[in-house]
Coordinates of all heavy atoms in Angstrom, one line a residue:
M222 N 17.1 2.0 6.7 CA 15.8 1.2 6.6 C 16.0 0.3 5.2 O 16.4 0.8 4.2 CB 14.6 2.2 6.4 CG 13.3 1.4 6.1 SD 11.8 2.4 6.2 CE 11.8 2.8 4.4
L223 N 15.6 -0.8 5.4 CA 15.4 -1.8 4.2 C 14.3 -1.4 3.4 O 13.2 -0.9 3.8 CB 15.3 -3.2 4.7 CG 16.4 -3.9 5.4 CD1 16.0 -5.2 5.9 CD2 17.6 -4.0 4.5
M224 N 14.6 -1.4 2.1 CA 13.5 -1.1 1.1 C 13.0 -2.3 0.4 O 13.8 -3.1 0.0 CB 14.1 0.0 0.1 CG 14.7 1.1 0.8 SD 14.1 2.7 0.6 CE 13.9 2.9 -1.1
A225 N 11.7 -2.4 0.3 CA 11.1 -3.6 -0.4 C 11.2 -3.4 -2.0 O 11.4 -2.3 -2.4 CB 9.6 -3.6 -0.1
H226 N 11.5 -4.5 -2.6 CA 11.6 -4.5 -4.0 C 10.3 -3.9 -4.7 O 9.2 -4.2 -4.2 CB 12.0 -5.9 -4.5 CG 12.3 -6.0 -6.0 ND1 11.5 -5.9 -6.9 CD2 13.5 -6.1 -6.5 CE1 12.1 -6.0 -8.0 NE2 13.4 -6.1 -7.8
P227 N 10.5 -3.2 -5.8 CA 9.4 -2.5 -6.4 C 8.3 -3.6 -6.9 O 7.1 -3.3 -6.8 CB 10.0 -1.9 -7.6 CG 11.4 -1.5 -7.2 CD 11.8 -2.6 -6.3
A228 N 8.7 -4.8 -7.2 CA 7.8 -5.9 -7.6 C 7.0 -6.2 -6.5 O 5.8 -6.4 -6.5 CB 8.5 -7.1 -8.2
V229 N 7.5 -6.3 -5.2 CA 6.8 -6.6 -4.0 C 5.8 -5.5 -3.7 O 4.6 -5.8 -3.4 CB 7.8 -6.8 -2.8 CG1 6.9 -6.9 -1.5 CG2 8.7 -8.0 -3.1
L230 N 6.2 -4.3 -3.8 CA 5.3 -3.1 -3.6 C 4.2 -3.1 -4.6 O 3.0 -2.9 -4.1 CB 6.1 -1.8 -3.5 CG 7.1 -1.6 -2.5 CD1 8.0 -0.3 -2.8 CD2 6.5 -1.6 -1.1
S231 N 4.5 -3.3 -5.8 CA 3.4 -3.4 -6.8 C 2.4 -4.4 -6.5 O 1.2 -4.2 -6.6 CB 4.0 -3.6 -8.2 OG 3.1 -3.7 -9.2
N232 N 2.9 -5.6 -6.1 CA 2.0 -6.7 -5.7 C 1.1 -6.4 -4.5 O -0.1 -6.5 -4.5 CB 2.8 -8.0 -5.5 CG 1.9 -9.1 -5.2 OD1 1.3 -9.2 -4.1 ND2 1.7 -10.0 -6.2
L233 N 1.7 -5.7 -3.5 CA 1.0 -5.3 -2.3 C -0.1 -4.2 -2.7 O -1.3 -4.3 -2.2 CB 1.9 -4.7 -1.3 CG 2.8 -5.8 -0.6 CD1 3.8 -5.1 0.2 CD2 2.0 -6.8 0.3
I234 N 0.2 -3.3 -3.5 CA -0.7 -2.3 -3.9 C -1.9 -2.9 -4.7 O -3.1 -2.6 -4.4 CB 0.0 -1.2 -4.8 CG1 0.9 -0.4 -4.0 CG2 -1.0 -0.3 -5.4 CD1 1.8 0.5 -4.9
E235 N -1.6 -3.7 -5.6 CA -2.6 -4.4 -6.4 C -3.5 -5.2 -5.5 O -4.9 -5.2 -5.6 CB -2.0 -5.3 -7.4 CG -2.9 -6.0 -8.3 CD -2.3 -6.9 -9.4 OE1 -1.2 -6.5 -9.9 OE2 -3.0 -7.9 -9.7
Q236 N -3.0 -6.0 -4.6 CA -3.8 -6.8 -3.6 C -4.7 -5.9 -2.8 O -5.8 -6.2 -2.5 CB -2.9 -7.6 -2.7 CG -2.3 -8.8 -3.4 CD -1.5 -9.6 -2.3 OE1 -2.1 -10.1 -1.4 NE2 -0.2 -9.7 -2.5
Y237 N -4.1 -4.8 -2.3 CA -4.9 -3.9 -1.4 C -6.0 -3.3 -2.2 O -7.2 -3.2 -1.6 CB -4.1 -2.8 -0.8 CG -4.8 -2.0 0.3 CD1 -4.9 -2.5 1.5 CD2 -5.3 -0.8 -0.1 CE1 -5.7 -1.7 2.5 CE2 -6.1 0.0 0.8 CZ -6.2 -0.6 2.1 OH -6.9 0.1 3.1
E238 N -5.8 -2.8 -3.4 CA -6.8 -2.1 -4.1 C -7.9 -3.2 -4.5 O -9.1 -2.9 -4.5 CB -6.3 -1.5 -5.4 CG -5.4 -0.3 -5.0 CD -4.7 0.4 -6.2 OE1 -4.7 -0.2 -7.3 OE2 -4.2 1.5 -5.9
T239 N -7.6 -4.4 -4.9 CA -8.6 -5.5 -5.2 C -9.4 -5.7 -3.9 O -10.6 -5.8 -4.0 CB -7.8 -6.7 -5.6 OG1 -7.1 -6.4 -6.9 CG2 -8.9 -7.8 -5.9
L240 N -8.7 -5.9 -2.9 CA -9.5 -6.2 -1.6 C -10.4 -5.0 -1.2 O -11.5 -5.2 -0.6 CB -8.5 -6.4 -0.4 CG -7.8 -7.9 -0.6 CD1 -6.6 -7.9 0.4 CD2 -8.9 -9.0 -0.4
R241 N -9.9 -3.8 -1.4 CA -10.7 -2.6 -1.2 C -12.1 -2.6 -1.9 O -13.1 -2.3 -1.4 CB -10.0 -1.3 -1.4 CG -10.8 -0.1 -0.9 CD -10.1 1.2 -1.0 NE -8.7 1.3 -1.5 CZ -7.9 2.3 -1.3 NH1 -8.5 3.5 -1.0 NH2 -6.7 2.3 -1.8
M242 N -12.0 -3.0 -3.2 CA -13.1 -3.1 -4.1 C -14.1 -4.2 -3.6 O -15.2 -4.1 -3.6 CB -12.7 -3.4 -5.5 CG -12.2 -2.1 -6.2 SD -12.0 -2.4 -8.0 CE -10.5 -3.2 -7.9
L243 N -13.5 -5.4 -3.2 CA -14.2 -6.5 -2.7 C -15.0 -6.1 -1.4 O -16.1 -6.4 -1.2 CB -13.5 -7.7 -2.4 CG -13.0 -8.4 -3.6 CD1 -12.0 -9.6 -3.3 CD2 -14.2 -9.1 -4.4
H244 N -14.3 -5.3 -0.5 CA -14.9 -5.0 0.8 C -16.0 -3.9 0.5 O -17.0 -4.0 1.2 CB -13.8 -4.4 1.7 CG -14.3 -3.9 3.0 ND1 -14.8 -4.9 4.0 CD2 -14.4 -2.7 3.6 CE1 -15.1 -4.2 5.0 NE2 -15.0 -2.9 4.8
A245 N -15.9 -3.1 -0.4 CA -16.9 -2.1 -0.8 C -18.2 -2.8 -1.3 O -19.3 -2.4 -0.9 CB -16.4 -1.1 -1.8
E246 N -18.0 -3.9 -1.9 CA -19.1 -4.7 -2.5 C -19.7 -5.6 -1.5 O -21.0 -5.8 -1.4 CB -18.7 -5.4 -3.8 CG -18.2 -4.5 -5.0 CD -17.8 -5.4 -6.1 OE1 -17.9 -6.6 -6.1 OE2 -17.3 -4.7 -7.1
N247 N -18.9 -6.4 -0.8 CA -19.4 -7.5 0.0 C -19.3 -7.1 1.5 O -20.0 -7.6 2.4 CB -18.6 -8.8 -0.2 CG -18.9 -9.1 -1.7 OD1 -19.8 -8.9 -2.3 ND2 -17.8 -9.8 -2.3
G248 N -18.2 -6.4 1.9 CA -18.0 -6.1 3.3 C -17.8 -7.3 4.3 O -18.0 -7.1 5.5
G249 N -17.2 -8.3 3.7 CA -17.0 -9.5 4.6 C -15.9 -9.3 5.6 O -14.9 -8.6 5.3
T250 N -15.9 -10.2 6.7 CA -14.9 -10.0 7.7 C -13.5 -10.5 7.1 O -12.4 -10.0 7.6 CB -15.3 -10.7 9.0 OG1 -15.6 -12.1 8.7 CG2 -16.5 -10.0 9.6
E251 N -13.6 -11.6 6.4 CA -12.4 -12.2 5.9 C -11.6 -11.2 5.0 O -10.4 -11.0 5.0 CB -12.6 -13.5 5.1 CG -11.3 -14.2 4.6 CD -10.5 -14.5 5.7 OE1 -10.8 -14.9 6.9 OE2 -9.2 -14.6 5.5
V252 N -12.4 -10.5 4.1 CA -11.8 -9.5 3.3 C -11.2 -8.4 4.1 O -10.1 -7.9 3.8 CB -12.8 -8.9 2.3 CG1 -12.3 -7.8 1.4 CG2 -13.3 -10.1 1.3
R253 N -11.9 -7.9 5.1 CA -11.4 -6.8 5.9 C -10.1 -7.3 6.7 O -9.2 -6.5 6.7 CB -12.5 -6.5 7.0 CG -12.1 -5.3 7.9 CD -12.0 -4.1 7.0 NE -11.1 -3.2 7.5 CZ -10.6 -2.0 7.1 NH1 -11.0 -1.7 5.8 NH2 -9.7 -1.3 7.6
R254 N -10.1 -8.5 7.1 CA -8.9 -9.0 7.9 C -7.7 -9.0 6.9 O -6.6 -8.6 7.3 CB -9.2 -10.4 8.4 CG -8.1 -10.9 9.3 CD -8.5 -12.2 10.0 NE -9.9 -12.2 10.5 CZ -10.8 -13.1 10.3 NH1 -10.4 -14.3 9.6 NH2 -11.9 -13.0 10.7
R255 N -7.9 -9.5 5.7 CA -6.8 -9.5 4.7 C -6.4 -8.2 4.4 O -5.2 -8.0 4.2 CB -7.2 -10.3 3.5 CG -6.3 -10.5 2.5 CD -5.2 -11.5 2.9 NE -4.2 -11.6 1.9 CZ -2.9 -11.6 2.2 NH1 -2.4 -11.5 3.4 NH2 -2.0 -11.6 1.2
M256 N -7.3 -7.3 4.3 CA -7.0 -5.8 3.9 C -6.1 -5.2 5.0 O -5.1 -4.6 4.9 CB -8.2 -4.9 3.9 CG -8.8 -4.9 2.6 SD -10.3 -3.8 2.5 CE -9.6 -2.2 2.7
D257 N -6.4 -5.5 6.3 CA -5.7 -5.1 7.4 C -4.3 -5.7 7.4 O -3.3 -5.0 7.7 CB -6.4 -5.5 8.8 CG -7.7 -4.7 9.0 OD1 -7.8 -3.6 8.4 OD2 -8.4 -5.1 9.9
D258 N -4.2 -6.9 6.9 CA -2.8 -7.6 6.9 C -2.0 -6.9 5.8 O -0.7 -6.6 6.0 CB -3.0 -9.0 6.6 CG -3.5 -9.9 7.8 OD1 -3.5 -9.4 8.9 OD2 -3.9 -11.0 7.5
I259 N -2.6 -6.7 4.7 CA -1.8 -6.0 3.6 C -1.5 -4.6 3.9 O -0.4 -4.1 3.7 CB -2.7 -6.1 2.2 CG1 -3.0 -7.5 1.9 CG2 -2.0 -5.3 1.2 CD1 -1.8 -8.3 1.3
A260 N -2.4 -3.9 4.6 CA -2.1 -2.5 5.0 C -0.9 -2.5 6.0 O 0.0 -1.7 5.8 CB -3.3 -1.9 5.7
Y261 N -0.9 -3.4 6.9 CA 0.2 -3.5 7.9 C 1.6 -3.8 7.1 O 2.5 -3.1 7.4 CB 0.0 -4.7 8.9 CG 1.1 -4.9 9.8 CD1 1.3 -4.0 10.9 CD2 2.0 -5.8 9.6 CE1 2.4 -4.2 11.7 CE2 3.1 -6.2 10.4 CZ 3.3 -5.3 11.5 OH 4.4 -5.4 12.3
T262 N 1.6 -4.7 6.2 CA 2.7 -5.1 5.4 C 3.2 -3.9 4.6 O 4.4 -3.6 4.6 CB 2.5 -6.2 4.5 OG1 2.0 -7.3 5.3 CG2 3.6 -6.8 3.8
L263 N 2.3 -3.1 4.0 CA 2.6 -2.0 3.3 C 3.2 -0.9 4.2 O 4.3 -0.2 3.9 CB 1.4 -1.3 2.6 CG 0.9 -1.8 1.2 CD1 -0.5 -1.4 0.8 CD2 2.0 -1.3 0.2
C264 N 2.7 -0.7 5.3 CA 3.3 0.3 6.3 C 4.7 -0.2 6.7 O 5.6 0.7 6.7 CB 2.4 0.4 7.5 SG 0.8 1.3 7.2
V265 N 4.9 -1.4 7.0 CA 6.2 -1.9 7.4 C 7.3 -1.6 6.2 O 8.3 -1.3 6.5 CB 6.2 -3.3 8.0 CG1 7.5 -4.0 8.1 CG2 5.3 -3.4 9.3
S266 N 6.8 -2.1 5.0 CA 7.7 -2.0 3.9 C 8.0 -0.6 3.5 O 9.0 -0.5 2.8 CB 6.8 -2.7 2.7 OG 6.6 -4.0 3.0
T267 N 7.2 0.3 3.9 CA 7.4 1.7 3.4 C 7.9 2.6 4.6 O 8.3 3.7 4.4 CB 6.3 2.3 2.8 OG1 5.2 2.3 3.6 CG2 5.9 1.6 1.5
G268 N 8.0 2.1 5.8 CA 8.3 2.9 6.9 C 7.3 3.9 7.3 O 7.7 5.0 7.8
T269 N 6.1 3.7 7.1 CA 5.0 4.6 7.4 C 4.0 4.1 8.4 O 4.2 3.0 8.9 CB 4.2 5.0 6.1 OG1 3.6 3.8 5.6 CG2 5.0 5.6 5.0
R270 N 3.0 4.9 8.8 CA 2.2 4.5 10.0 C 0.7 4.3 9.6 O -0.1 3.9 10.4 CB 2.3 5.5 11.1 CG 3.6 5.4 11.8 CD 3.7 6.4 12.9 NE 5.1 6.3 13.5 CZ 5.3 6.2 14.7 NH1 4.3 6.2 15.6 NH2 6.5 6.2 15.2
D271 N 0.3 4.8 8.4 CA -1.1 4.6 8.0 C -1.1 4.2 6.4 O -0.2 4.4 5.8 CB -1.9 5.8 8.2 CG -1.5 7.0 7.3 OD1 -2.0 7.0 6.2 OD2 -0.7 7.9 7.7
V272 N -2.1 3.4 6.1 CA -2.2 2.8 4.7 C -2.2 3.8 3.7 O -1.6 3.6 2.6 CB -3.3 1.9 4.7 CG1 -4.7 2.6 4.7 CG2 -3.2 1.0 3.5
D273 N -2.8 5.0 3.8 CA -2.8 6.0 2.7 C -1.4 6.5 2.6 O -1.0 6.6 1.3 CB -3.8 7.2 3.1 CG -5.3 6.7 3.2 OD1 -5.6 5.8 2.3 OD2 -6.0 7.1 4.0
T274 N -0.7 6.8 3.5 CA 0.6 7.3 3.3 C 1.6 6.1 2.8 O 2.3 6.4 1.9 CB 1.2 7.8 4.7 OG1 0.4 8.8 5.2 CG2 2.6 8.3 4.5
A275 N 1.3 4.9 3.2 CA 2.0 3.7 2.7 C 1.8 3.6 1.2 O 2.7 3.3 0.4 CB 1.6 2.5 3.5
L276 N 0.6 3.8 0.8 CA 0.3 3.7 -0.7 C 1.0 4.6 -1.4 O 1.5 4.3 -2.5 CB -1.3 3.7 -0.8 CG -2.0 2.4 -0.4 CD1 -3.6 2.7 -0.4 CD2 -1.8 1.3 -1.3
I277 N 1.0 5.9 -1.0 CA 1.7 7.0 -1.6 C 3.2 6.7 -1.7 O 3.9 6.7 -2.8 CB 1.5 8.4 -0.9 CG1 0.0 8.7 -1.1 CG2 2.4 9.4 -1.5 CD1 -0.4 9.8 -0.2
A278 N 3.7 6.3 -0.5 CA 5.1 6.0 -0.6 C 5.6 4.8 -1.6 O 6.5 4.8 -2.2 CB 5.6 5.7 0.9
A279 N 4.7 3.7 -1.5 CA 4.9 2.6 -2.3 C 4.8 3.0 -3.8 O 5.8 2.6 -4.6 CB 3.9 1.4 -2.0
R280 N 3.8 3.7 -4.2 CA 3.8 4.1 -5.6 C 5.0 5.0 -5.9 O 5.4 5.0 -7.1 CB 2.5 4.9 -5.7 CG 1.3 4.0 -5.8 CD 0.0 4.7 -6.2 NE -1.1 3.8 -6.1 CZ -2.1 3.9 -5.1 NH1 -2.1 4.9 -4.2 NH2 -3.1 3.1 -5.2
H281 N 5.4 5.8 -5.1 CA 6.6 6.6 -5.3 C 7.8 5.9 -5.6 O 8.7 6.4 -6.3 CB 6.8 7.6 -4.0 CG 7.9 8.6 -4.2 ND1 7.6 9.7 -4.9 CD2 9.1 8.6 -3.8 CE1 8.8 10.4 -4.9 NE2 9.6 9.9 -4.3
R282 N 7.9 4.7 -5.1 CA 9.1 3.9 -5.3 C 9.1 2.9 -6.5 O 10.0 2.3 -6.9 CB 9.4 3.0 -4.1 CG 9.7 3.9 -2.8 CD 10.1 3.0 -1.7 NE 10.3 3.9 -0.5 CZ 9.9 3.5 0.8 NH1 9.6 2.2 0.9 NH2 10.3 4.4 1.7
L283 N 7.9 2.9 -7.2 CA 7.7 2.2 -8.4 C 8.5 2.6 -9.6 O 8.7 4.0 -9.7 CB 6.2 1.9 -8.7 CG 5.4 1.2 -7.7 CD1 4.0 1.1 -8.1 CD2 5.9 -0.2 -7.4
P284 N 9.0 1.8 -10.5 CA 9.6 2.3 -11.7 C 8.6 3.3 -12.5 O 7.4 3.0 -12.5 CB 9.8 1.1 -12.6 CG 9.8 -0.1 -11.6 CD 8.8 0.4 -10.4
G285 N 9.1 4.5 -12.9 CA 8.4 5.4 -13.6 C 7.7 6.5 -12.6 O 7.1 7.3 -13.2
A286 N 8.0 6.3 -11.4 CA 7.4 7.4 -10.5 C 8.2 8.6 -10.7 O 9.3 8.6 -11.0 CB 7.6 6.9 -9.0
R287 N 7.5 9.7 -10.4 CA 8.1 11.0 -10.5 C 8.9 11.2 -9.3 O 8.4 11.9 -8.4 CB 7.1 12.1 -10.8 CG 6.4 12.0 -12.2 CD 5.3 13.0 -12.4 NE 5.9 14.3 -12.1 CZ 5.1 15.3 -11.8 NH1 3.8 15.2 -11.7 NH2 5.6 16.5 -11.5
T288 N 10.1 10.9 -9.2 CA 11.0 11.0 -8.0 C 11.4 12.4 -7.6 O 11.7 12.7 -6.5 CB 12.2 10.1 -8.2 OG1 13.0 10.6 -9.3 CG2 11.9 8.6 -8.4
E289 N 11.2 13.3 -8.6 CA 11.6 14.6 -8.3 C 10.6 15.5 -7.4 O 11.0 16.4 -6.9 CB 11.9 15.5 -9.6 CG 10.7 15.8 -10.4 CD 10.3 14.6 -11.4 OE1 11.1 13.7 -11.4 OE2 9.3 14.7 -12.1
D290 N 9.4 14.9 -7.3 CA 8.4 15.5 -6.5 C 8.0 14.6 -5.3 O 7.2 13.8 -5.5 CB 7.2 15.9 -7.3 CG 6.1 16.6 -6.4 OD1 6.4 17.1 -5.3 OD2 4.9 16.6 -6.9
D291 N 8.6 14.9 -4.1 CA 8.2 14.0 -3.0 C 7.5 14.9 -2.0 O 7.4 14.6 -0.8 CB 9.5 13.4 -2.4 CG 10.6 14.3 -1.9 OD1 10.3 15.6 -2.0 OD2 11.5 13.9 -1.2
S292 N 7.0 16.0 -2.4 CA 6.3 16.9 -1.4 C 5.2 16.3 -0.7 O 4.9 16.6 0.5 CB 5.9 18.2 -2.2 OG 4.9 17.9 -3.2
V293 N 4.6 15.4 -1.4 CA 3.3 14.6 -0.8 C 3.8 13.8 0.4 O 3.1 13.6 1.4 CB 2.6 13.9 -1.8 CG1 2.9 12.4 -1.8 CG2 1.1 14.1 -1.6
L294 N 5.1 13.4 0.4 CA 5.6 12.4 1.5 C 6.0 13.3 2.7 O 6.1 12.8 3.7 CB 6.7 11.7 1.0 CG 6.4 10.6 -0.1 CD1 7.7 9.9 -0.6 CD2 5.4 9.7 0.4
M295 N 6.3 14.5 2.4 CA 6.7 15.4 3.5 C 5.6 16.0 4.4 O 5.8 16.4 5.5 CB 7.5 16.6 2.9 CG 8.7 16.2 2.2 SD 9.8 15.2 3.3 CE 11.1 14.9 2.1
A296 N 4.4 16.0 3.9 CA 3.1 16.5 4.6 C 2.8 15.7 5.8 O 3.2 14.5 6.0 CB 2.0 16.6 3.7

């Protein structure tokens, strides 16, 4: 599997979290559509099937992540 560069993953995480806050405040359809696009990209970039797992996997691949503990990815 190809692995996304950590800078790309960091950017995707930041975008998703920002959009999640905007959606919680405004709930607009455009924000939701963009969230879905970012979630899909995160899933493809991490080889996962849902956004929560994708966020965990993406964070796990960032510099400074505790790579010795991947138990959360095995569940």
Side-chain angles (χ1 to χ4, degrees):
M222 176 175 91
L223 292 175
M224 306 245 305
H226 191 277
V229 171
L230 294 174
S231 179
N232 184 285
L233 289 170
I234 293 168
E235 183 179 328
Q236 285 185 59
Y237 187 81
E238 290 175 348
T239 300
L240 289 166
R241 187 179 350 195
M242 284 188 282
L243 285 173
H244 183 66
E246 292 177 8
N247 301 328
T250 57
E251 183 60 33
V252 172
R253 184 66 206 172
R254 189 173 317 131
R255 184 70 182 133
M256 275 181 70
D257 290 344
D258 289 346
I259 298 292
Y261 175 79
T262 304
L263 273 165
C264 288
V265 169
S266 298
T267 57
T269 59
R270 293 181 181 228
D271 67 85
V272 71
D273 293 325
T274 305
L276 288 167
I277 292 167
R280 287 186 183 111
H281 185 75
R282 293 183 186 152
L283 296 179
R287 293 181 48 205
T288 56
E289 67 274 358
D290 181 16
D291 62 356
S292 60
V293 98
L294 296 177
M295 299 301 180

